[in-house]
Amino acid sequence: MKICLYGRGGKVGQVLAPALESAGHELVELDDADASIDFTAPDVVVDNVLRALDAGVPCVVGTSGADLASADARGRERGLPVFFAPNFAIGAVLMMRLAVEAAAYLPRAEIIELHNEAKKDAPSGTARATAELLPGDVPIHSVRLPGLVAHQEVLLGGDGQLLTIRHDTFSREAYVPGVLLALERLHSLPPGLTVGLDALL
């Protein structure tokens, strides 16, 4: 597949570009693309996605912290899918699934998410998505420090016990299988926005 990769020079993009080529995809400009992938920043992602949709190119988005409502509307208008995942690590999706299952028995929860200090949005998209799946108003604690990549703990408490479900991303290679899965399924998705890698598993 011919891919327009927004954010090729970024931390994720530098890992993703060679991985896409190793998987047999070709990196091209938007005019020649079959799909676009965006790992940029919250202030530019919506414009990138709208530009791609206007060019007739479906989108995979890994940039969190932006309101994708206009991308959803434009995708429906153009008959094109837009897939967004707050986290492309399959282990992170499993962490969220397990937290939902555990919350049926331990309904008091808090989330701690830890990322590199360069991450612009806080709380992270993964933490917000996890909190939305759990009952009640779940507090989120954000940590931004050098040396971190992406880490999240869901703490579920009950009388006399604590269950901790934790996912750690030590390198951005963890996102590659999820991105490849999203590309594989992209053209089968309905027009407009589909959210979460869980929808593809």
Side-chain angles (χ1 to χ4, degrees):
M1 190 182 299
K2 294 181 178 180
I3 309 293
C4 174
L5 177 58
Y6 291 108
R8 187 172 181 171
K11 290 179 181 176
V12 176
Q14 289 179 28
V15 170
L16 194 52
L20 287 167
E21 291 177 327
S22 292
H25 299 291
E26 180 184 354
L27 299 180
V28 298
E29 296 300 316
L30 182 60
D31 291 344
D32 297 320
D34 301 314
S36 76
I37 300 174
D38 190 291
F39 280 89
T40 55
D43 57 337
V44 297
V45 60
V46 174
D47 287 343
N48 290 343
V49 171
L50 294 178
R51 189 177 311 113
L53 293 171
D54 286 344
V57 178
C59 305
V60 172
V61 180
T63 306
S64 60
D67 183 353
L68 296 176
S70 60
D72 180 35
R74 189 72 57 87
R76 291 175 190 276
E77 176 186 314
R78 303 282 192 210
L80 295 168
V82 178
F83 177 79
F84 166 70
N87 197 317
F88 278 88
I90 291 172
V93 176
L94 296 175
M95 170 197 61
M96 294 166 71
R97 277 188 182 179
L98 293 172
V100 169
E101 186 172 339
Y105 303 95
L106 299 167
R108 294 277 306 280
E110 298 204 13
I111 296 169
I112 303 170
E113 58 94 358
L114 309 93
H115 285 80
N116 186 273
E117 62 186 347
K119 184 168 180 60
K120 301 200 185 309
D121 58 319
S124 70
T126 303
R128 287 194 310 272
T130 306
E132 289 170 5
L133 294 171
L134 300 177
D137 186 14
V138 178
I140 301 173
H141 310 276
S142 297
V143 177
R144 298 289 177 269
L145 289 171
L148 297 170
V149 178
H151 315 267
Q152 180 171 300
E153 290 184 349
V154 182
L155 307 174
L156 299 114
D159 292 338
Q161 62 181 320
L162 175 72
L163 173 63
T164 302
I165 303 171
R166 179 176 174 116
H167 179 260
D168 295 287
T169 301
F170 299 111
S171 75
R172 289 163 182 89
E173 282 85 357
Y175 305 135
V176 172
V179 172
L180 293 175
L181 176 62
L183 280 176
E184 179 186 322
R185 304 280 181 81
L186 184 61
H187 288 89
S188 67
L189 296 176
L193 187 64
T194 297
V195 178
L197 203 57
D198 194 52
L200 306 182
L201 295 177

